[in-house]
């Protein structure tokens, strides 16, 4: 059973870069034909897909965030990462890493989520 | 910004039936992509409730059911119970965005 665990700073200053990692256990990130994804949820609001990286290395982004997002995979550490540039208070959210198998399936696994607050 | 629209809240008395709608478009639900439903308790990650429009994972009571028609989907809870209070989210895929999309979320309150 795959398990995901997010990590990173809980507080980021406006205009800076938000960086999070998602450690994968129970399986190899390089050997699994999954979409390794990031999802966020602002306080009291709905969920928003940020982007994902396919096992081939192809990156998919939410068009609304594409210019500010980088997603990468580190197979040596068995983890994938998110960078969100030029953050504002509107980027304050709980960030989840998750796994999608295909376009017809729901996220099969979720991390527990990590709250990132953007504030000076 | 959510692509799928849900009512902000629905409520009902214990034992009643409530329905949550999830309205999409021709590039997501209407394009034939499956709709999934999640239940979320405060401070926890969403948990799968219904997959593939109307399939309940093991352990989900049959009081929960899903349906899909055209560009919309619905989640119905029958025999409403106090511990059904939670936030519910629909989710699908959108081929114009080339990404997964979620609903705006609905808070269910048991009166």
């Amino acid at each position: 059973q795959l398990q995901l665990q997010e990590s990173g700073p809980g507080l980021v200053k406006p205009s800076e870069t938000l960086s999070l990692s998602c450690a994968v256990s129970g399986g190899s990130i390089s050997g699994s034909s999954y979409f390794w994804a990031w999802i966020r949820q602002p306080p009291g609001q709905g969920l928003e897909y940020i982007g994902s990286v396919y096992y081939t290395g192809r990156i998919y982004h939410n068009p609304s965030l594409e210019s500010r997002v980088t997603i990468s995979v580190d197979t040596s550490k068995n983890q994938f990462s998110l960078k969100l540039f030029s953050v504002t208070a509107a980027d304050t959210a709980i960030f989840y890493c998750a796994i999608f198998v295909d376009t017809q399936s729901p996220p099969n696994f979720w991390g527990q989520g990590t709250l990132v607050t953007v504030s000076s | 910004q959510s692509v799928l629209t849900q009512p902000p809240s629905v409520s009902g008395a214990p034992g009643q039936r409530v329905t949550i709608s999830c309205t999409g478009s021709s590039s997501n639900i209407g394009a034939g992509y499956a709709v999934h439903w999640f239940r979320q308790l405060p401070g926890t990650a969403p948990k799968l409730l219904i997959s593939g429009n109307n399939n309940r994972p093991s352990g989900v009571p049959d009081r929960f059911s899903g349906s899909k028609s055209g560009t919309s989907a619905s989640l119905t809870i029958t025999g409403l119970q106090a511990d059904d209070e939670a936030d519910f989210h629909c989710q699908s895929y959108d081929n114009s965005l080339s990404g997964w999309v979620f609903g705006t979320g609905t808070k269910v309150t048991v009166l």
Side-chain angles (χ1 to χ4, degrees):
Chain A
Q1 172 105 343
L2 286 170
Q3 291 187 318
L4 308 176
Q5 179 66 59
E6 306 89 350
S7 63
L11 181 65
V12 180
K13 290 182 168 55
S15 80
E16 295 190 346
T17 298
L18 180 159
S19 296
L20 294 174
S21 294
C22 179
V24 179
S25 59
S28 170
I29 197 170
S30 61
S32 306
S33 56
Y34 297 144
F35 294 85
W36 306 90
W38 288 97
I39 297 164
R40 70 177 181 177
Q41 184 175 30
Q45 297 185 39
L47 298 155
E48 180 183 32
Y49 166 75
I50 298 171
S52 59
V53 53
Y54 195 41
Y55 81 108
T56 58
R58 182 171 178 179
I59 309 293
Y60 299 85
H61 295 115
N62 184 327
S64 68
L65 297 168
E66 185 168 2
S67 63
R68 297 199 293 131
V69 169
T70 294
I71 297 173
S72 60
V73 171
D74 187 337
T75 55
S76 66
K77 294 182 178 180
N78 212 38
Q79 67 180 32
F80 60 107
S81 300
L82 168 72
K83 289 187 184 297
L84 181 63
F85 305 103
S86 304
V87 297
T88 69
D91 293 311
T92 294
I94 296 173
F95 287 77
Y96 297 98
C97 56
I99 298 172
F100 289 90
V101 174
D102 56 44
T103 60
Q104 290 285 21
S105 299
N108 291 70
F109 302 99
W110 296 72
Q112 65 183 26
T114 186
L115 174 63
V116 180
T117 301
V118 178
S119 174
S120 56
Chain B
Q1 55 280 14
S2 300
V3 174
L4 307 178
T5 302
Q6 300 177 232
S9 63
V10 298
S11 61
Q16 287 189 331
R17 181 177 76 175
V18 295
T19 298
I20 303 169
S21 60
C22 175
T23 302
S25 68
S26 59
S27 62
N28 42 68
I29 299 175
Y33 293 103
V35 178
H36 319 289
W37 291 89
F38 293 86
R39 178 185 177 187
Q40 186 178 30
L41 296 172
T44 67
K47 187 173 182 180
L48 185 64
L49 188 68
I50 297 287
S51 68
N53 305 321
N54 56 13
N55 299 300
R56 289 185 308 276
S58 175
V60 175
D62 59 7
R63 300 187 297 105
F64 296 90
S65 62
S67 64
K68 173 186 163 182
S69 178
T71 58
S72 296
S74 295
L75 172 71
T76 298
I77 309 173
T78 57
L80 198 62
Q81 298 179 0
D83 60 4
D84 290 335
E85 285 201 342
D87 292 326
F88 292 81
H89 308 271
C90 60
Q91 179 257 310
S92 187
Y93 183 84
D94 191 291
N95 60 24
S96 69
L97 299 174
S98 295
W100 290 270
V101 290
F102 291 90
T104 46
T106 299
K107 182 176 182 60
V108 169
T109 301
V110 181
L111 302 173

